[in-house]
Amino acid sequence: FASSSNKLKEVDTGGKKTTYTERKKMGTVEITAHNHGFAVDAPIDSNFTTVFGAGYVSHICLNDGVVEGLELLERPAFSVQYHPESAAGPHDAAYLFDHFAEMMSKKKAVQSHA
């Protein structure tokens, strides 16, 4: 979604990172599992424009301020830069799979009425 990324000075790994969720003004904090060495350059205080339409930063790591999630405003697309599946836990991000299934159901309903 965003135009560029940068290499982190220290690789962001671990299973107990705090991530702030701005998605749809949820304003919640999740415990997430990370394993990445790069960060997306995107404004955390305003929307941004991509070739796919307007978007916004949906998740921010509270430990280091790294952008952890993006979501488009006009299309059914989002991403996170941590492990939402976290098989062994934590499971705070499990709602993302419900959100994805919901987006696919809506898209399918719109296509079947076309």
Side-chain angles (χ1 to χ4, degrees):
F1 295 148
S3 61
S4 63
S5 62
N6 61 70
K7 186 168 176 49
L8 297 173
K9 291 178 185 173
E10 296 181 23
V11 175
D12 198 1
T13 62
K16 303 284 188 211
K17 302 286 184 167
T18 53
T19 301
Y20 176 73
T21 306
E22 180 62 27
R23 189 179 158 271
K24 297 194 178 178
K25 307 296 181 198
M26 288 173 61
T28 59
V29 174
E30 303 170 19
I31 305 301
T32 57
H34 295 210
N35 185 19
H36 56 82
F38 291 85
V40 174
D41 293 324
I44 61 172
D45 55 354
S46 64
N47 294 345
F48 54 87
T49 303
T50 75
V51 295
F52 304 104
Y56 72 100
V57 172
S58 59
H59 297 75
I60 302 164
C61 181
L62 294 178
N63 295 359
D64 55 15
V66 169
V67 171
E68 295 294 342
L70 304 170
E71 186 163 2
L72 291 180
L73 294 168
E74 300 160 357
R75 290 186 178 196
F78 70 95
S79 67
V80 292
Q81 183 173 270
Y82 57 85
H83 297 283
E85 76 283 2
S86 300
H91 300 285
D92 290 9
Y95 72 91
L96 290 171
F97 295 98
D98 295 334
H99 177 53
F100 179 75
E102 194 178 299
M103 287 183 354
M104 296 301 103
S105 293
K106 285 181 183 176
K107 182 72 172 175
K108 185 175 181 180
V110 168
Q111 288 177 337
S112 67
H113 286 80

